[in-house]
Amino acid sequence: MTDTHRSIELERTGPNAFRATNARGTTLDLGDGSSDDFTPVELLLVALGGCSALTVDEIVARRAEPDSFTVHTSGEKIRDEHGSRLTDLQVTLDIALPEGEAGDAARAVLDRTVQQTRDRLCSVSRTVEVGTSVQLKLSD
């Protein structure tokens, strides 16, 4: 795998069920919502929230370890002239930082870090917001 290329493999494990495997061998089961497995839409929300959270955490935790850090990601699934899609995507970060000098240093960079994460650092939200083509094809 090159530094820029990303890929996963999906293998069917049963009716409406697949297992995703990343290049490091970690697996994740997904399905259509009829089981406890994550659905593809939920995984998109995980990717949006996770990318933002990991990016913010990397910068903020250099200054102070958060007392707590939770993320809520949501969107509305609609069907319109563009087909099925999500709208009104929102990622809400709830971060509690400790009192004291280290916590103050983390709070001082928090707003700018969230703005930079939204505007340029999180590749997942940037891809969704800017848009890119998706090619769906059969193998040769």
Side-chain angles (χ1 to χ4, degrees), residues 14 22 26 28 50 53 58 67 69 71 78 97-99 104-105 118-120 133 139:
N22 66 18
T26 303
L28 174 71
E58 180 180 349
D67 289 335
F69 192 150
V71 180
I78 66 166
L97 295 165
E99 295 300 321
D104 291 344
R118 181 196 66 226
D119 294 344
R120 67 179 182 86
S133 64
S139 64

Side-chain angles (χ1 to χ4, degrees), residues 8-13 17-21 26-30:
I8 58 106
E9 295 291 327
L10 285 170
E11 183 175 354
R12 187 174 189 267
T13 58
F18 286 80
R19 178 165 293 135
T21 305
T26 303
T27 62
L28 174 71
D29 292 333
L30 64 145

Side-chain angles (χ1 to χ4, degrees), residues 2 7 14 22 25 48 51-52 60 68 70 81 84 88 90 103-104 116 118-119 136:
T2 66
S7 68
N22 66 18
L48 285 167
C51 183
S52 298
V60 171
S68 65
T70 58
E81 68 275 9
S84 289
D88 303 323
Q90 184 171 341
D104 291 344
Q116 287 180 330
R118 181 196 66 226
D119 294 344
L136 182 61

Side-chain angles (χ1 to χ4, degrees), residues 85-99:
R85 61 190 183 98
L86 293 179
T87 63
D88 303 323
L89 294 169
Q90 184 171 341
V91 177
T92 303
L93 309 175
D94 185 5
I95 305 168
L97 295 165
E99 295 300 321

